[in-house]
Amino acid sequence: IPKLLKHTDEPFRTLFLTAVLTGMRQGECLGLTYDRVNAHARTVRVDRQMVTPNAGEPAFGPPKTTASNRTIPVGDATLRWVGDGAAGDLVFPGPDGRPWRRQRASAAFNTWTATAGLDGVTFHDLRHFYASMLIAGGASVKVVQARLGHATADETLNTYSHLWPSDQDVTRRIVDAVLAHSMPDDGSRGPMAT
């Protein structure tokens, strides 16, 4: 991600970083307006996305699924990057001030990833990066499911189960943590250590 951001100019840098910091899909990012960003509550409301009907103009449409309707808690860093604007204004308008066509936004993303030497990285990979950050930080399956807008925990597990620590690793850490606080600190060793 740092390599991509280093090789990306505005407004794309903020668009890509917002996807990384929220896990929002491309259409959700492109359809984000300032009235969906609540700086006081530190949340972003996802209740629509930008769609481009066949040969039509980009327009707001419903989210991908019912579960995609969600409120994402965000930190102060995300709010600083997004900034503020008039209630109905797009956070990420196209170069002409109108909504992005998703295909054009994808082409721009591909240009920046190629410039950064990251061929093959997709916009959706930014969403996966967000999920992996949550999991590495100890977030539960239910939290990751809610943040990504998955319909079920099974969907989340089918995609990301390999990122959660194994039960064996978890139990090792738990036992080691308990023992570290309850064992004498006199340098003595147990029978297995001899």
Side-chain angles (χ1 to χ4, degrees):
I1 297 301
K3 188 174 182 182
L4 174 62
L5 297 176
K6 179 181 176 186
H7 289 88
T8 308
D9 293 331
E10 291 299 347
F12 296 102
R13 181 181 294 121
T14 300
L15 171 62
F16 302 160
L17 192 57
T18 299
V20 167
L21 297 174
T22 64
M24 292 168 62
R25 297 175 177 94
Q26 181 189 46
E28 294 169 348
C29 287
L30 297 178
L32 182 63
T33 52
Y34 284 105
D35 55 330
R36 272 34 182 204
V37 179
N38 186 328
H40 178 70
R42 300 187 331 168
T43 60
V44 172
R45 177 84 187 120
V46 178
D47 59 0
R48 60 188 178 182
Q49 64 175 328
M50 190 60 64
V51 297
T52 308
N54 292 342
E57 290 297 311
F60 293 117
K64 182 177 178 182
T65 66
T66 302
S68 297
N69 279 292
R70 63 199 187 279
T71 300
I72 304 169
V74 295
D76 294 332
T78 305
L79 292 171
R80 280 194 300 275
W81 276 97
V82 169
D84 55 12
D89 287 353
L90 289 168
V91 175
F92 305 109
D96 58 0
R98 296 171 46 206
W100 277 99
R101 288 182 175 278
R102 289 176 66 175
Q103 298 85 344
R104 189 168 177 200
S106 294
F109 182 79
N110 292 339
T111 299
W112 289 112
T113 54
T115 301
L118 300 169
D119 292 316
V121 173
T122 67
F123 197 96
H124 202 72
D125 290 333
L126 304 179
R127 180 171 161 84
H128 293 315
F129 185 82
Y130 171 78
S132 66
M133 285 192 304
L134 294 183
I135 293 165
S140 71
V141 173
K142 292 302 284 182
V143 166
V144 176
Q145 173 195 347
R147 299 303 172 263
L148 294 178
H150 286 164
T152 66
D154 283 346
E155 181 181 353
T156 307
L157 284 169
N158 287 340
T159 307
Y160 299 108
S161 62
H162 64 286
L163 297 179
W164 267 281
S166 72
D167 289 339
Q168 293 174 352
D169 290 338
V170 171
T171 55
R172 285 183 189 113
R173 281 197 303 270
I174 291 168
V175 172
D176 283 350
V178 170
L179 288 176
H181 297 293
S182 62
M183 297 300 288
D185 194 20
D186 60 3
S188 61
R189 297 163 37 165
M192 293 183 69
T194 58

